[in-house]
Every structure is written in C-alpha cells, then in structure tokens.
Amino acid sequence: MANVIKLRKGLNIQLAGKAAERKTRVGRCEEYALVPDDFTGVTPKLVVREGDEVKAGDALFIDKNCPEVRFASPVSGKVAAVVRGERRKVLCVKVKADSEQKFAEFGQKDVASLKGEDVKAALLEAGLFGYINQLPYAVVANPADQPKAIFVSALRDKPLAGDFEFELKDNEAAWQTGLTALSKMAKTYLGVGAKQTASALLNAKDVEVNIFDGPCPAGNVGVQVNHIDPVNKGEVVWIVEPTAVIFFGRLLLTGRVDLTRTVAVAGSEVRDPAYVDALVGTPLKAILDGQIDEGKNVRIINGNPLTGSRDSLEGFLGAHSSVVSVIPEGDDAAEMLGWIMPRFNQLSVNRSYFSWLFPKREYRLDARVKGGERHMIMSGEYDRVLPMDIYGEYLIKAIIAGDIDRQEQLGIYEVSPEDFALAEFVDSSKLELQKIVREGLNTLRKENN
C-alpha cells in the first residue's frame, strides 16, 4: 500500500484559463531550436556547425565540463543557425527540419536485462542524460556520481500546469519502461497526488509510490525529497521530470529519440485553452498561432506563471516546459481608487480584500509586482507556504549575506529555486527569491568544486 504524506502548508492559486482536456494540432514547423539555458549548470560546447546535416538524436552540443553529457537534436535537418549573445554565449542552436524525419538508431533494448551502467550509457549515447537533474545545486546531474535515490514527481499543482495523467494516456508502456530503467541506477521514488487515479501511477512497478495530499507545492520534487529522504552534505539525489521518464522509455523501446511532449496552452489571454503535442524546441509562434489577440499587451511565459521564464513569439518550447502560459501584462491597467476598493476580483493571501469569501473563484491575474522592493520583514510569510523542514526566511538572509556555513546549517543542499516560488508570490518585501536562491546555489557549487 502506498505511503500517504499529508501537507498543510502551501497555497493553491486558481487562475482562469486552465487547459481543457482535448488536443489541438501544431503544424510542421520549418525550424526547431535547442536552448542550452534550459539545462541549468551546463556550459555548452558545440559539436556541429552551421550547414551540418543532423538526424533526430544526434548531438548538437555537449557539456564542456562533462563531455560525455550530450544534448540531442529534436529533429533531423540542416543546422540553420547558432545564435549567440554577449561574450559569444550560445543562446540556441536552430535546425531547419527535413520534410521526412530521419532518426539516429541506438537499438532497442530489453530493460529487464539491463544493469544500471547499461542504462546510463544508453542515455548518454542518445543525448538524453541531460534531462536528469540533481540535488544539491539543482543542476544537470553528473554521470560520475552515484545517487542515493532518484525522485520522480507526477503531480503538477502549480497554477495553469498541465495534468500529467492526460499526458500519460497512450504513453503507459514508455512510462513504465522509463521507471524500470531508472530503478536500475538507484532506488526510485514516485510521488503522485491524492486525486490522481491512473493505474500507471498508483500501480507503477519497480518504484516506491508515495501519495502527497495537500496544496501546492506538494508536487515540487524538492518538497517530496525533504519528506522522504532529505539530502545531507556529501549526498546526491537525482530528480527526473515525468515527461523525461517517457523520453527514456521510448528510447529503450524503439531505439530512437522522440522528444514529443503534451503541452498545455493555458492562461486567461488564450482564446481556446487546450493541449497540443509538440516537440521540444517547437517555435512558440506555432504553438500560440491564433490563440492570442495581437492588439493586447500580454506576457508569454515558457512554463507556468510561478517558475516559468518570460518569452516571446520568437522563442521556442523549453526542454522542461509542460505548459505555455499567457496572462495580461498589466502595465496598461488603470484602477480607480486602487487598494481602497473591495476588489472582489483580486486574490489576497492575507485577506486584505473580500475575495477570500469565494475560495473557488478563478482569477485573471496580471504580471504586475504591485509594489517595490523593500526591507525584509521576518513575518513568517515564507513558512506558511513552504512545507519543508527548513527556516526559509533565515536561509534567504544567509544567502544574501553570503554566509556559506550558515546556509549549510539551514539546509541549502535540500532546496531548489522553485521551492521558493510560492514564497516569492506572497512576499510583501517583493524580493526575487528564486533568483536569490539560484545565485546562492551557484556560489556554493563553485566553492565546493
């Protein structure tokens, strides 16, 4: 019987425009792109040049610090451009897709007969190992490390996030194969939500299933690690996004790299919120074609509104993005009398407005911060939405102060930036907590390496 873990801290943010459970089509695109910044902690080194022919599954770049970690092209075709930014930083590698796709063949494998090293070698060869992250530091995993455990969270509970159970339909075989493959490398824990009923989740084989019952961020894999097997100094755990498990399963079953994922197109500014099947690196212009009004001032988010990155129609679907969100920008809003009004249509965590009388109401929130950065007040705001055994406010202060010893004592090895997304949302000091945590983790990683 699955272990049930009940969480009380957190906050569910009900935003208008959640994707309906049906799929629309995305036509074939001329260009696709892989973005190195989607793989945190990687220093990209190109292995292709403009004009080179590649197959789906061929490497476009590798990690300079760990050359065996390759990153596969989502499509076959000709390398159309290597887009660079300041100091020649690689921003993306564009591939002009063939009309008929060609695949690099890696060979079908019987996962039951594989050892852990065989699975790792297969993922490295096919350019998929980079989809595994690690704690501490919340970066792409190092294949030389031996993790004490692997964690997969099938619960997506952030605002506008896609329902993984819907994505799982017709992918059950690849899902189970991927889970079995992970279990060969280390003990694997699968976290599911209390309301999820799919047999492929609750009856998954070769993994330990844990049910998390509580508000967002119960689906955060960092929260699940904290409650099941916390990370101490010197230990490593690997974390895998559920769609990547399907990628791994497809590779072992077919011998090919297939980076197709089901993506929710959601938000109050989307005309017809629904799901689409799209490859990693699909142009956002194709995904949002006909979905937004060009005259409106909107914010396009590659991911969910809490942890996603701001993007534009010129961007490409991120390697870990299960949703493309569109919300109002808000810079053209004019509110008569402002905060004095009852504001039934505005969400308030501390019940400043009367909207708290309607707990099931969906809100059309915009991207405004509504206030400037100010001194940090130790009010316990973070603790109310952070269901982890750490002191969030003290940890943030230690990161700002650059006190590494204090950070270690307060549990920085257990956290990732997304764990502080809700705290950032409710923070009356308007601090960029996710950015602060990322900078702290980067500094700690440099010091320890």
Side-chain angles (χ1 to χ4, degrees):
M1 184 176 178
N3 182 31
V4 179
I5 299 173
K6 294 187 177 182
L7 305 178
R8 290 180 172 80
K9 294 182 179 180
L11 174 68
N12 289 326
I13 304 172
Q14 303 293 339
L15 295 187
K18 193 170 180 64
E21 290 194 356
R22 52 186 171 76
K23 290 184 181 180
T24 59
R25 286 184 170 273
V26 174
R28 180 168 293 278
C29 303
E30 185 175 334
E31 278 187 344
Y32 294 79
L34 199 62
V35 180
D37 278 352
D38 290 340
F39 304 96
T40 306
V42 167
T43 302
K45 180 180 179 181
L46 295 174
V47 294
V48 294
R49 297 180 179 180
E50 292 185 13
D52 286 355
E53 296 283 345
V54 295
K55 296 179 181 179
D58 285 344
L60 296 178
F61 55 87
I62 61 175
D63 183 359
K64 186 176 181 180
N65 300 317
C66 192
E68 61 266 41
V69 179
R70 301 146 45 98
F71 297 87
S73 173
V75 294
S76 68
K78 182 181 291 187
V79 178
V82 176
V83 182
R84 295 182 181 270
E86 294 182 2
R87 305 178 74 175
R88 293 184 56 77
K89 176 184 177 180
V90 179
L91 300 181
C92 70
V93 181
K94 295 182 179 180
V95 178
K96 185 176 181 180
D98 291 331
S99 55
E100 289 189 17
Q101 286 297 291
K102 303 169 186 174
F103 294 86
E105 298 290 346
F106 298 101
Q108 297 175 332
K109 295 178 175 63
D110 178 14
V111 68
S113 64
L114 297 179
K115 297 180 180 178
E117 288 301 317
D118 299 328
V119 173
K120 186 186 298 184
L123 298 180
L124 287 168
E125 181 187 17
L128 293 183
F129 187 87
Y131 287 83
I132 301 177
N133 286 347
Q134 70 164 54
L135 289 177
Y137 312 126
V139 295
V140 170
N142 186 340
D145 292 335
Q146 178 56 47
K148 69 170 183 174
I150 299 175
F151 286 82
V152 181
S153 174
L155 174 59
R156 294 176 178 152
D157 55 3
K158 294 185 179 66
L160 301 181
D163 184 354
F164 181 68
E165 283 189 287
F166 185 73
E167 181 178 353
L168 188 56
K169 293 177 181 177
D170 301 324
N171 287 304
E172 289 87 353
W175 166 254
Q176 182 57 63
T177 300
L179 290 177
T180 301
L182 292 176
S183 71
K184 299 285 185 174
M185 294 189 285
K187 181 171 182 177
T188 302
Y189 297 92
L190 172 62
V192 302
K195 295 182 180 179
Q196 292 180 305
T197 59
S199 177
L201 297 179
L202 299 179
N203 300 319
K205 300 175 183 177
D206 304 315
V207 297
E208 181 180 304
V209 179
N210 293 278
I211 297 174
F212 286 82
D213 184 4
C216 178
N220 276 18
V221 69
V223 172
Q224 298 181 8
V225 171
N226 182 265
H227 283 81
I228 297 172
D229 193 3
V231 181
N232 298 310
K233 186 175 182 179
E235 296 178 336
V236 173
V237 300
W238 287 355
I239 54 181
V240 185
E241 199 258 337
T243 303
V245 177
I246 295 176
F247 293 166
F248 300 164
R250 288 175 184 159
L251 170 69
L252 298 173
L253 289 174
T254 67
R256 294 179 172 183
V257 171
D258 181 358
L259 299 181
T260 304
R261 63 186 307 154
T262 300
V263 180
V265 183
S268 58
E269 301 307 295
V270 174
R271 290 175 178 170
D272 184 21
Y275 290 82
V276 299
D277 283 337
L279 284 166
V280 168
T282 299
L284 296 183
K285 184 181 295 184
I287 293 175
L288 294 173
D289 183 33
Q291 289 282 26
I292 56 178
D293 294 327
E294 294 184 6
K296 286 188 176 181
N297 194 12
V298 299
R299 177 167 296 191
I300 298 171
I301 303 170
N302 208 328
N304 66 77
L306 282 181
T307 62
S309 58
R310 185 176 184 176
D311 217 318
S312 69
L313 291 175
E314 304 306 314
F316 300 89
L317 180 66
H320 299 284
S321 295
S322 60
V323 57
V324 175
S325 314
V326 187
I327 62 176
E329 188 65 53
D331 55 1
D332 56 351
E335 296 180 277
M336 180 174 154
L337 299 179
W339 58 269
I340 294 177
M341 300 296 287
R343 305 182 91 174
F344 290 101
N345 62 341
Q346 292 288 326
L347 174 65
S348 174
V349 178
N350 56 18
R351 298 189 174 186
S352 297
Y353 312 137
F354 289 111
S355 56
W356 66 270
L357 296 169
F358 309 97
K360 295 184 179 181
R361 169 171 287 178
E362 292 185 341
Y363 297 92
R364 184 178 175 270
L365 301 185
D366 56 46
R368 288 178 292 167
V369 177
K370 296 183 178 178
E373 186 174 315
R374 63 206 71 174
H375 292 294
M376 188 174 175
I377 302 170
M378 304 295 284
S379 61
E381 288 178 313
Y382 304 172
D383 292 336
R384 287 195 287 270
V385 295
L386 187 62
M388 301 175 71
D389 188 22
I390 62 173
Y391 294 105
E393 292 172 336
Y394 290 97
L395 177 56
I396 292 296
K397 289 183 71 174
I399 295 173
I400 294 173
D403 188 340
I404 291 178
D405 290 338
R406 188 68 171 151
Q407 292 172 39
E408 291 181 341
Q409 293 169 6
L410 291 168
I412 192 170
Y413 292 115
E414 298 183 50
V415 303
S416 61
E418 72 167 358
D419 295 325
F420 283 81
L422 268 177
E424 183 176 300
F425 178 79
V426 304
D427 184 19
S428 56
S429 298
K430 311 297 181 183
L431 299 178
E432 296 182 78
L433 300 184
Q434 294 181 80
K435 181 179 179 182
I436 291 171
V437 172
R438 171 45 58 199
E439 291 173 351
L441 291 170
N442 290 346
T443 300
L444 200 65
R445 188 183 180 208
K446 288 180 181 178
E447 288 289 330
N448 289 337
N449 293 336

